[in-house]
Amino acid sequence: MAPRANWKGFLKVAELVCPVALYTAASTSERISFHTLNRATGHRLRREFVDSETGKPVERDDQVKGYETGKDDYIVLEPDEVAAAVPESDKTMDVQAFIACAEIDDLYFDKPYYLAPADKHAQEVFILIREGMKNRKVAALAETVLFRRVRTVLIRPHGEGLIATTLNYDYEVRSAQEHFSEIPDITLKGEMLDLAEHIIRTKSGRFDPQKFDDRYDSALAEMVKAKIEGRKIKPHKPKAEGKVIDLMEALRQSAGEGGKKTAKPSTKKAAATRKPAASRRKAG
């Protein structure tokens, strides 16, 4: 069965218009999920809105949006007033600008979608846009109405298609300064930095999402399977706590575990390598 599009419209680049379809690229539907039950009866529970003062249930028609202006003081917004604020959609993803890929700050990334031609007649113009972006090594910033909100999306070539990533607004991204302001400005050099760089080199690899392991979800799946089969659930063994050791010693141990262990130098060689360092210290 062909995947169902989340949105269909037009990708517009100046006077160039291409019918496109948007598909979810990342989903949590495969995760283990649970229902909340009544332990006594085994029946599923349902959620209900109740008045915080009276404790009585409130029917759906009597539920309205409210904006808090002070403690227990709200401005009420009727459903038609909220609906009036929803932007009208013309189903157009209008490209505002092309930017160099090096300028992209992924801190603003929200959710990725696959962007593909909506039909066979759109394939030629779609490929033209994709190849032009590839050759220029650029991404496109476009604006559209998605799911009742005006959104800015970043469009990038990806294989045979395009990826459209919704972007967070600037006010939604917290300032890094408030989290990093207390980190001191320390200049590191010498053996400590050399060891850190050596560890990074020996642990280098490639980005392979297939190797990502959701251990929590796997543990839940195994627990459910054991329950179905009537097996005893084995308790998870906590990891042994590591020793608190000196930073330099931790670096040396990590370097020894991450790469090939080199033979210890002879006493004469060790003494020979120490002497110049000692003389330099005296000279300083």
Side-chain angles (χ1 to χ4, degrees):
M1 183 182 292
R4 181 173 173 270
N6 296 77
W7 178 92
K8 283 189 176 182
F10 301 92
L11 177 62
K12 187 173 184 294
V13 182
E15 298 305 313
L16 209 58
V17 178
C18 177
V20 291
L22 204 67
Y23 303 90
T24 300
S27 172
T28 59
S29 62
E30 298 301 314
R31 290 181 185 171
I32 291 288
S33 59
F34 299 106
H35 297 293
T36 304
L37 310 177
N38 181 338
R39 186 193 298 274
T41 65
H43 300 156
R44 281 184 61 178
L45 303 181
R46 60 182 175 84
R47 294 184 180 181
E48 194 172 49
F49 284 98
V50 299
D51 190 294
S52 59
E53 294 295 325
T54 66
K56 294 180 180 179
V58 180
E59 295 297 327
R60 186 177 183 84
D61 290 343
D62 293 323
Q63 298 171 17
V64 292
K65 304 290 184 184
Y67 181 82
E68 189 172 14
T69 57
K71 183 171 174 56
D72 298 326
D73 190 13
Y74 302 90
I75 291 176
V76 174
L77 297 172
E78 295 295 338
D80 57 342
E81 293 175 319
V82 175
V86 176
E88 289 187 15
S89 173
D90 61 358
K91 294 291 184 179
T92 300
M93 194 173 285
D94 193 6
V95 172
Q96 307 292 307
F98 290 99
I99 62 172
C101 290
E103 292 182 21
I104 297 170
D105 186 348
D106 57 12
L107 180 65
Y108 288 83
F109 285 11
D110 176 33
K111 192 172 181 180
Y113 294 89
Y114 293 125
L115 194 63
D119 53 53
K120 291 183 178 180
H121 302 293
Q123 291 176 352
E124 186 176 13
V125 65
F126 182 89
I127 292 170
L128 177 64
I129 294 170
R130 184 197 68 201
E131 290 305 300
M133 292 171 65
K134 278 185 179 179
N135 292 342
R136 296 293 299 170
K137 294 182 173 57
V138 295
L141 286 173
E143 191 175 272
T144 189
V145 176
L146 288 178
F147 319 121
R148 298 163 64 89
R149 285 189 69 193
V150 177
R151 300 301 301 260
T152 299
V153 295
L154 181 78
I155 301 171
R156 295 167 292 160
H158 182 81
E160 299 302 309
L162 297 170
I163 294 289
T165 304
T166 52
L167 300 179
N168 292 312
Y169 289 104
D170 191 53
Y171 71 84
E172 295 175 311
V173 177
R174 295 180 177 178
S175 169
Q177 186 59 28
E178 63 184 80
H179 302 287
F180 300 155
S181 59
E182 295 185 13
I183 300 176
D185 185 11
I186 299 175
T187 302
L188 297 175
K189 55 185 178 180
E191 184 185 3
M192 185 178 288
L193 191 56
D194 290 341
L195 284 169
E197 291 177 357
H198 171 73
I199 294 165
I200 292 168
R201 283 196 300 272
T202 57
K203 297 287 284 185
S204 63
R206 296 182 66 85
F207 181 74
D208 184 1
Q210 291 186 352
K211 292 183 179 179
F212 298 169
D213 183 18
D214 188 347
R215 288 182 292 173
Y216 175 68
D217 201 68
S218 299
L220 288 178
E222 178 57 32
M223 189 181 299
V224 169
K225 185 180 178 183
K227 281 262 189 179
I228 293 171
E229 296 174 354
R231 292 187 283 111
K232 186 177 179 181
I233 299 171
K234 296 179 181 179
H236 176 71
K237 292 182 179 180
K239 287 185 178 181
E241 292 185 9
K243 295 179 181 178
V244 179
I245 55 177
D246 175 76
L247 175 58
M248 183 61 81
E249 182 60 26
L251 285 167
R252 287 181 179 135
Q253 287 189 19
S254 298
E257 292 170 1
K260 296 179 180 178
K261 293 185 178 180
T262 54
K264 290 184 178 180
S266 65
T267 308
K268 288 182 180 180
K269 281 188 178 179
T273 55
R274 281 197 298 268
K275 281 180 182 179
S279 63
R280 280 197 296 271
R281 282 196 294 271
K282 286 178 181 177

